Amino acid sequence: MDIGTFQTLLQIGENVAIEFKRCGSGIESDTYESVCSFLNRFGGDLFLGVLDDGTVSGVPAGAAQDLVKNFISVISNPACFTPTVYLVPELLVYEGRTVIHIHVPPGAEVHSYKKIVYDRIEDADVKLTGTAQIAQLYIRKQTVYTEKKIYPYVTKEDLRMDMLPKIRQMAVNHAGGKHPWESLSDDDFFKSAGLYGVDLVTGERGFNLAAVLLLGKDEVILNACPAYETDALVRKVNVDRYDDREVIRTNLIESFDLLMEFGRKHLPDKFFLEDTDRISLRNILVREMAGNTLMHREFTSSYAAKFVIRQDQMYVENGNRAAREGIITPDNLEPNPKNPIIASFFRTIGRADRLGSGVRNLFKYSKYYSGQEPEFCEGDVFRIIVPLNDDYSFDYVTDAANIMKEETQVKTQVKTQVKTQVKTQVKSQVTVREKILFYCEEPRKKSEIAEYCGFKGMKNFTRNYLKPLLEAGEITMTLPDKPNSRNQKYVVTHKTPAKISHQSE
């Protein structure tokens, strides 16, 4: 690690992936607890010789090498760590003080320190004692998707076979008129959809958990996943309890429809045009949120999933098998299917799009619906938060902006026209003056001057041009005492450069 990165981490401070330890004459047990929690979560960086507030105190002078040896000895001791782990500490010198940096990658298995399992929650190392907590940790570490778990005693009588015609037709409609599911037998349909398979470890054949969740009867789903439900709530007036509530415990297909109907019931459908087509922002937002919480939930988790509509926001949250922790944006999005069979089924029947499109759609259309962006929070509990603002209308804002833009354009055009007219008038006056001064370098009659300047009427020409020049002393009459004489001529009182006349010409 370079010093620049180290300085940045000092400024960030302790979090789910950074831990500071004072480290005196020896390494305390809490250091190994942090190593265990990093292994069990998403990994992290451990710094020995740094105070909790980020102040670098350093390890004792001359003791760094011994501390490293002791650290390696403990993490490789099966009596301390199960399973043991191999890590390589490095020494950093910062402002004359030595710091020991240990990068801990996420472990492939669940690790324990002195037979105790630790997990990393925010910036704390938490001792796991509950069976459910430890089971959830094993689920997160395993590479097998829980939706693939085989239930050998589940039969077609346990499934909603009456839904198959509707599902086949949905696949055909979404495919544009033709889909293989339309002509497959029921048995082949289940195999094609990935709902019936073989456990290659045990050799068991049968319907899997995905089949139970997508098509199972309600009592069968309850037996397979006792904690499965989606709690839909409205908390606009009574925020402590609810204004309306629906607890959904049926299969995923009908759960989706019920969540959509709940959203339509309690959310305004604001007017919005995309190009020339009117689309429902409300339906798009609810569709993406409902689809996400149903497709990517960890169904073995005891955490109750929720869909909550409040005055200022709506959100969904559900148990999750997280691959990382933090905020998800379109820029850092790394699509990670939690239940690929269920997700593929939803895409086939048109209830979802390609992986990752939900995040992009919510970021795109949330701004049109409320003027604000949504928030995706990845962790053991996954949350999508979409802001709400009943007073906001993208159509109104756009119209107002267009009106202001048109008014600005009109004002600009008027100003431009006025300026052009003024410039033309000024230019015209200056041009006539210069012509007169140039032409009268030799004595000229009034009629000659007017003709030269392009004027026919003598009265206006005399009043507007000759008289001002006479009064200014720029021209003079050859017979001053005979202003109406036919022999009267006008001549400039000083020489005017010829180039002025040429420019004006």
Side-chain angles (χ1 to χ4, degrees):
M1 176 174 291
D2 59 81
I3 296 301
T5 303
F6 177 56
Q7 289 177 321
T8 301
L9 296 181
L10 291 176
Q11 295 174 356
I12 293 173
E14 293 183 325
N15 56 35
V16 70
I18 301 174
E19 178 67 24
F20 301 144
K21 298 294 183 184
R22 180 190 295 271
C23 193
S25 57
I27 299 177
E28 303 294 335
S29 293
D30 61 351
T31 299
Y32 300 109
E33 293 172 3
S34 295
V35 172
C36 183
S37 67
F38 280 151
L39 289 167
N40 287 334
R41 181 52 63 164
F42 309 116
D45 290 282
L46 184 63
F47 296 92
L48 308 184
V50 181
L51 305 183
D52 289 344
D53 62 0
T55 301
V56 178
S57 58
V59 298
Q65 293 296 340
D66 290 336
L67 291 173
V68 169
K69 290 179 181 179
N70 292 338
F71 176 83
I72 294 175
S73 176
V74 172
I75 64 173
S76 59
N77 184 353
C80 295
F81 270 86
T82 306
T84 58
V85 61
Y86 177 75
L87 302 174
V88 182
E90 66 171 331
L91 302 181
L92 300 175
V93 178
Y94 181 77
E95 297 181 347
R97 296 181 174 88
T98 301
V99 174
I100 300 176
H101 167 233
I102 305 159
H103 176 69
V104 184
E109 302 178 68
V110 175
H111 290 260
S112 64
Y113 170 62
K114 293 186 176 179
K115 299 183 179 180
I116 297 176
V117 177
Y118 293 89
D119 197 4
R120 187 76 173 176
I121 308 298
E122 299 294 340
D123 60 350
D125 304 314
V126 180
K127 182 190 298 185
L128 300 185
T129 57
T131 303
Q133 293 176 310
I134 297 176
Q136 192 63 34
L137 183 56
Y138 275 95
I139 290 171
R140 190 169 70 235
K141 290 296 181 181
Q142 69 182 6
T143 57
V144 178
Y145 295 102
T146 54
E147 66 170 356
K148 292 186 176 181
K149 180 180 179 181
I150 297 295
Y151 289 82
Y153 297 108
V154 171
T155 65
K156 292 180 183 179
E157 284 71 27
D158 297 312
L159 306 179
R160 291 279 306 277
M161 300 298 289
D162 60 298
M163 295 179 60
L164 292 190
K166 175 184 175 181
I167 289 171
R168 294 177 193 270
Q169 189 58 50
M170 292 172 69
V172 170
N173 293 342
H174 183 64
K178 189 175 182 180
H179 192 274
W181 284 4
E182 184 180 18
S183 57
L184 291 177
S185 66
D186 291 347
D187 291 340
D188 289 338
F189 164 79
F190 289 124
K191 293 177 182 178
S192 173
L195 305 183
Y196 187 96
V198 181
D199 189 327
L200 298 179
V201 177
T202 65
E204 292 180 324
R205 293 178 179 271
F207 291 102
N208 53 30
L209 180 59
V212 172
L213 291 167
L214 286 165
L215 295 170
K217 295 178 180 178
D218 292 354
E219 62 272 17
V220 177
I221 295 174
L222 182 61
N223 287 331
C225 297
Y228 166 73
E229 68 176 29
T230 304
D231 199 0
L233 300 162
V234 175
R235 288 173 173 161
K236 291 185 176 181
V237 179
N238 192 338
V239 296
D240 294 326
R241 296 181 183 273
Y242 55 83
D243 307 326
D244 191 13
R245 182 183 189 184
E246 185 168 354
V247 181
I248 302 171
R249 294 192 178 97
T250 190
N251 63 78
L252 297 180
I253 306 299
E254 293 181 336
S255 291
F256 181 90
D257 294 335
L258 291 172
L259 287 175
M260 287 295 298
E261 186 59 34
F262 192 82
R264 293 189 190 100
K265 179 180 177 183
H266 295 288
L267 293 168
D269 195 15
K270 300 179 181 180
F271 181 83
F272 178 75
L273 286 178
E274 188 167 55
D275 295 329
T276 58
D277 299 324
R278 184 183 186 279
I279 64 173
S280 174
L281 296 174
R282 176 197 62 194
N283 290 354
I284 290 175
L285 297 178
V286 176
R287 173 181 182 267
E288 298 296 351
M289 295 177 74
N292 197 294
T293 195
L294 293 175
M295 287 190 299
H296 303 305
R297 180 187 309 181
E298 179 49 55
F299 292 99
T300 60
S301 172
S302 59
Y303 190 88
K306 301 179 185 68
F307 174 40
V308 181
I309 299 174
R310 297 173 51 180
Q311 193 68 40
D312 60 339
Q313 64 177 216
M314 60 177 169
Y315 64 89
V316 292
E317 58 184 26
N318 55 262
N320 180 45
R321 186 171 69 175
R324 57 174 178 164
E325 187 162 310
I327 302 299
I328 297 175
T329 68
D331 295 329
N332 67 6
L333 174 64
E334 296 178 2
N336 178 35
K338 312 297 174 57
N339 299 295
I341 295 175
I342 295 174
S344 176
F345 197 95
F346 266 65
R347 286 195 297 272
T348 302
I349 63 176
R351 293 288 175 81
D353 299 321
R354 60 186 177 84
L355 199 62
S357 63
V359 174
R360 296 183 179 88
N361 284 339
L362 283 172
F363 267 90
K364 176 182 178 180
Y365 292 107
S366 177
K367 290 185 290 186
Y368 296 138
Y369 193 71
S370 66
Q372 303 174 68
E373 290 188 340
E375 186 174 333
F376 288 74
C377 306
E378 174 84 73
D380 285 340
V381 175
F382 185 84
R383 293 183 179 86
I384 302 175
I385 303 170
V386 174
L388 297 178
N389 183 353
D390 289 347
D391 297 329
Y392 179 85
S393 172
F394 178 79
D395 184 64
Y396 173 79
V397 172
T398 304
D399 287 346
N402 289 336
I403 292 172
M404 292 179 64
K405 183 177 180 180
E406 290 175 359
E407 289 178 349
T408 303
Q409 290 175 343
V410 171
K411 290 179 180 178
T412 302
Q413 291 174 355
V414 171
K415 287 181 179 179
T416 302
Q417 291 174 356
V418 171
K419 287 181 179 179
T420 302
Q421 292 174 356
V422 171
K423 287 181 179 179
T424 302
Q425 293 174 357
V426 171
K427 183 177 180 181
S428 176
Q429 293 175 358
V430 171
T431 301
V432 172
R433 171 185 171 277
E434 291 179 348
K435 285 183 176 182
I436 293 173
L437 294 177
F438 172 76
Y439 191 59
C440 291
E441 288 182 358
E442 300 292 336
R444 307 287 186 181
K445 292 182 179 181
K446 184 188 301 185
S447 58
E448 292 175 337
I449 300 171
E451 183 179 356
Y452 177 78
C453 293
F455 286 85
K456 295 181 179 180
M458 297 299 299
K459 183 177 181 181
N460 291 335
F461 178 71
T462 301
R463 181 178 67 248
N464 294 334
Y465 298 103
L466 289 183
K467 188 175 180 180
L469 291 175
L470 284 168
E471 292 174 350
E474 292 188 87
I475 62 174
T476 185
M477 293 185 292
T478 55
L479 299 173
D481 56 339
K482 297 180 181 180
N484 296 321
S485 173
R486 292 183 178 179
N487 296 323
Q488 180 68 271
K489 294 183 180 181
Y490 296 83
V491 65
V492 294
T493 57
H494 60 277
K495 289 289 182 181
T496 303
K499 65 179 181 179
I500 296 177
S501 176
H502 295 315
Q503 287 177 350
S504 62
E505 295 277 11

